Amino acid sequence: MSRFWRELRRRGVVRAGGVYAVAAFVVLQLGEIVLPAFDAPGWALQSVVVAAALGFPVALAFAWVYDLTSSGLERTKGIGRQGAGTRAPRIAMLVVTVASVAFAALWFRGTIISDGNVPAGADSDGGPGGDPAPSGTVIPGRGVLTAADMDPEAPVTAIAVLPLAYFADGDDMFARQLHEEIITHLTRITSLRVVSRTSVERYANTRLLLPRVAEELQVQAIVTGSVAAATEGNSVRISLQLLHAPTDTHLLTWTFHRELTDIFRVQAEIAREIAIAVEEEVAADDEGMERILEQIPPVDPEAYMAFMQGREEFGESADAGLADALASFSLSADIDPGFGQAYAWRAATQLLLLLQTGDSLSDPLDALRHIREDLSIADSLGGAEDKVNSVRVEMESHWDEVLALLPDSEGAEMEAYAALVESDSLVRDYVRIFTELGRRIADSPREGEAGRETILGRISAARRLTVEGMHDGAATLYRAVLSDEPANRAAWAGLEETLLLADDAAGALEARISGIYEISGDTPDNRRRVQEMRGAFDADDPARSYWAARQVDQLVRQASGEPVPYVEQAKTSVGLGEYDMGLRYLREAVRLREPGLISLTYARVWDPLRSTVSFREISREAAGLWRRPPALRIPGSLPSAGGEREGLR
């Protein structure tokens, strides 16, 4: 080693290394000053650092071979046979150079390219369907934060709205309701995955830094803010901040100072402003938001306060809260007869009371009349379409129970109408999972409830927990269902999905395998099927190889003649980076109204596609299916006071 060191000094390698290090340091300092001034992305300075590291071993190797003299570059002269007794120095220098270059190149490729601008399966000039290639997205199986995610100007595909601080005396009910409504309006923006209210509530008073919160929620943008109600009068001041969470970078600030009469309009405006900030071209083309803003009427402040009180009481777990909620919604409608939301929520409360306590009602038929009338009024006033639709869907879902509450003569005639109903599981599942009425009905056991209905209620509750990011609770519910009904396909599929969303790809695969054996038995064909799936799974790369194993399973099922839903095939294609194929499957799923389309609103597997035009078009069309179902009908007729027969709808 001493001889090697003397040779390095004689050839000027040590001097060249020192000069290179000083020069690289100067260049990096200049880059740190100059690049931000020109709004260069975060990976630009990283590239300069990598280039400097790559050049260092090259400079040392060059100095070993050549000397810089007054006559130019000359090959370094040897010291004769006596000093050149070994080739070890040259071999060592070659190994160091090759290893350094290879390591730096692999790091550069893995950090800047693989998780960044050009996803696998897309053309180099763009993403699926000719769209701009998504960047800054969470590609399944490749981690959460990438160099693209660290760029505040990269497209935002996932967002979380943290609970709002309340700066006023009294209960923070107003801030809680406003927070929920902002999230509800944001879910209309089809290019965004919006984290559910339940998932963000635990961060109300968190001391975690935003990058950590973003990593746990797997989002790129976070909205924080506060609400201040005026001590006198009926005005409110709302302050919001939009931040690029991975870099803790402040992007935009909004302040809304409005009267309570415009509170519903400002909720929609806030959602629109956020959408424009994160993806301008999407929000600008979203005619749905414009239509919503135009249809929102003003509301009397006292009616709004009574309405909020009813919402709080409706959300209580105790049944007594429903009677209080009904009184609050009735008060709100009496104060402001033009307030459509009050009528819609009163109808929802009446339906829930009818289903829970129908046997004790003196006149169930009269309760149905009131529900019908409230829905009709809410329809005519506008501004409550989603709530009206959810009540109608739940009435259709529980029509047999409604029939049981009526006298035999009326029930027989209505049953004939009920036989004409075409069930729409896509809409029904959406209402059960995403609306407050659906949640209350699913979570409210009724007397005499059969075991099969209990299982369906547990599955609905588990799906809801999965959507809200409460994966442990969802898995517990699914396993409880499977302990009672081991061959339940929906429970096995749900357990697999929630384990996958919890980043347990190996557990998800085991759930699929266990489901195969429980549903169709331990047969030779199933053993071969499972063996092929295990062969495709790689424990060193579980997230990606899970989709490879799932693709093997799909091919086996299709070969045996079993239909595989298009949504399931689309998920597998996207998980493997085959984005064009995934989009084609999604279009077929929309055409067939597959219930699995609900996953477009919450599943992270779709994140690589959310910023593309094709995915936006598909998700808009899907949202139209579950929010405004064209074929949804409420069957039956009710006797009117004058003896004429009127349709329930």
Side-chain angles (χ1 to χ4, degrees), residues 70-147:
S70 57
S71 302
L73 286 176
E74 295 182 357
R75 189 176 182 86
T76 303
K77 296 180 180 180
I79 58 175
R81 294 182 59 83
Q82 184 178 1
T86 179
R87 295 182 179 178
R90 297 182 183 180
I91 295 175
M93 185 63 70
L94 178 62
V95 171
V96 170
T97 301
V98 172
S100 300
V101 172
F103 176 79
L106 287 173
W107 175 87
F108 184 82
R109 180 182 184 276
T111 304
I112 304 298
I113 298 176
S114 292
D115 293 329
N117 298 325
V118 184
D123 296 334
S124 59
D125 294 333
D131 298 313
S135 62
T137 55
V138 182
I139 296 179
R142 300 186 188 175
V144 178
L145 298 179
T146 69

Side-chain angles (χ1 to χ4, degrees), residues 500-531:
L500 184 63
L501 288 171
D503 296 323
D504 184 5
L509 181 64
E510 289 304 315
R512 175 168 285 258
I513 290 172
S514 299
I516 291 172
Y517 286 136
E518 290 289 351
I519 294 169
S520 52
D522 185 5
T523 65
D525 288 341
N526 281 341
R527 284 196 292 271
R528 284 193 297 270
R529 175 181 172 186
V530 168
Q531 186 177 5

Side-chain angles (χ1 to χ4, degrees), residues 304-317:
Y304 179 68
M305 297 304 293
F307 172 76
M308 282 201 306
Q309 183 63 39
R311 289 280 302 270
E312 289 283 307
E313 293 160 346
F314 186 92
E316 294 176 2
S317 58

Side-chain angles (χ1 to χ4, degrees), residues 139-282:
I139 296 179
R142 300 186 188 175
V144 178
L145 298 179
T146 69
D149 294 319
M150 301 303 286
D151 181 6
E153 296 185 5
V156 173
T157 59
I159 191 170
V161 183
L162 299 188
L164 305 176
Y166 186 63
F167 298 127
D169 295 333
D171 188 15
D172 64 344
M173 175 179 64
F174 180 82
R176 294 198 304 272
Q177 294 290 342
L178 179 62
H179 175 240
E180 181 175 351
E181 290 301 322
I182 291 174
I183 292 176
T184 300
H185 281 288
L186 275 177
T187 57
R188 298 177 184 273
I189 309 301
T190 54
S191 65
L192 290 176
R193 174 171 57 83
V194 184
V195 179
S196 70
R197 175 180 57 86
T198 308
S199 297
V200 299
E201 280 181 341
R202 65 179 183 271
Y203 298 101
N205 299 306
T206 184
R207 294 185 179 181
L208 294 176
L209 298 177
L210 280 183
R212 177 65 182 277
V213 175
E215 183 177 355
E216 292 183 0
L217 295 176
Q218 297 200 5
V219 298
Q220 298 109 347
I222 286 180
V223 176
T224 63
S226 61
V227 178
T231 54
E232 296 182 1
N234 293 307
S235 63
V236 62
R237 183 184 181 89
I238 305 167
S239 299
L240 298 172
Q241 299 83 39
L242 176 67
L243 304 106
H244 184 256
T247 58
D248 205 357
T249 303
H250 187 275
L251 298 178
L252 285 173
T253 298
W254 299 276
T255 300
F256 300 86
H257 192 188
R258 302 291 177 83
E259 298 296 319
L260 279 180
T261 55
D262 289 329
I263 189 61
F264 287 104
R265 184 183 300 274
V266 78
Q267 290 168 0
E269 287 179 0
I270 288 171
R272 179 170 172 77
E273 290 295 327
I274 294 173
I276 291 175
V278 298
E279 193 135 4
E280 184 170 355
E281 69 273 16
V282 177

Side-chain angles (χ1 to χ4, degrees), residues 571-583:
K571 285 182 179 180
T572 303
S573 296
V574 175
L576 293 172
E578 300 169 358
Y579 299 136
D580 289 330
M581 183 64 70
L583 289 169

